[in-house]
Amino acid sequence: MPYTSPFRARLLLTGAVALAEMLHLAWEHLHGGVVSHHLLNRADLPAISNWWGLVLLPVLAWFLIGRMQARGTSQAHGTPSRPIAWRFLAALLYGAGLATAFAFGYEAVTTAMFFGLFALAVVLPIFRAEYVLGFVLGMTIVFGAVLPTLIACFFALLSAVLHPLVRFIVRSLAKIASGTPRAAS
């Protein structure tokens, strides 16, 4: 496989995200107009146009791909390591599944998946760049770019606080349960 510099890989992936968003918006424009989404799906709250995706998604992709590359790229090819790619794919599928359940009106599935994000924030480090980018890209077709980014940022922040805390508590309880002897008094 030919060597691709990390900068070139980052540029190509960001360009692919930008192109995909342009095609998405072109399709919306040709089929009734570019959609706007109300915050919390309430008409009395402000609407956010999908046009913002042209700015937000490439900037987000550029930043997060850079974070992924800094944390763990294969030096031989400048491509993300397999665990990063698998985590990205899992988040992409989760976001797409949540968006699909919402689009087709499966309220129970949508609710379960949304609240499942709270559990995932505790168990997995979903604050990592690959989780955030995958989740946002997975939800973009249905919700545009801004709302998934806000949701991903909220859960990333929650995970950044809770995940290390829970790991500390579990390790502490494991040490206590292992019966570490105490000094006799």
Side-chain angles (χ1 to χ4, degrees):
M1 179 176 226
Y3 174 75
T4 304
S5 73
F7 178 78
R8 182 176 165 91
R10 187 177 181 187
L11 192 61
L12 288 172
L13 292 170
T14 302
V17 168
L19 179 63
E21 182 61 7
M22 283 187 252
L23 292 172
H24 169 233
L25 291 174
W27 185 86
E28 279 189 357
H29 180 70
L30 295 173
H31 290 86
V34 175
V35 179
S36 292
H37 302 276
H38 291 279
L39 293 173
L40 301 176
N41 203 24
R42 291 182 40 188
D44 59 328
L45 293 176
I48 301 170
S49 173
N50 280 359
W51 284 112
W52 283 104
L54 280 177
V55 175
L56 181 61
L57 286 179
V59 169
L60 190 68
W62 181 263
F63 175 72
L64 294 177
I65 290 168
R67 301 280 302 150
M68 287 184 262
Q69 287 178 329
R71 201 177 75 248
T73 57
S74 166
Q75 296 301 321
H77 303 293
T79 57
S81 66
R82 286 182 199 239
I84 290 175
W86 283 111
R87 290 189 291 260
F88 170 80
L89 182 61
L92 181 75
L93 292 174
Y94 195 91
L98 180 58
T100 302
F102 179 84
F104 287 107
Y106 297 117
E107 291 181 28
V109 175
T110 304
T111 302
M113 289 184 78
F114 181 78
F115 286 110
L117 286 170
F118 286 100
L120 289 173
V122 171
V123 176
L124 297 174
I126 61 173
F127 53 84
R128 290 187 175 164
E130 60 270 23
Y131 286 115
V132 173
L133 185 60
F135 183 78
V136 170
L137 293 179
M139 293 186 70
T140 295
I141 294 292
V142 174
F143 294 105
V146 176
L147 295 178
T149 301
L150 293 173
I151 293 168
C153 287
F154 170 78
F155 282 105
L157 180 62
L158 187 68
S159 179
V161 171
L162 293 180
H163 183 70
L165 180 65
V166 168
R167 286 185 62 176
F168 172 76
I169 292 170
V170 168
R171 284 186 189 147
S172 298
L173 291 175
K175 283 182 183 179
I176 293 170
S178 69
T180 308
R182 293 189 210 178
S185 48

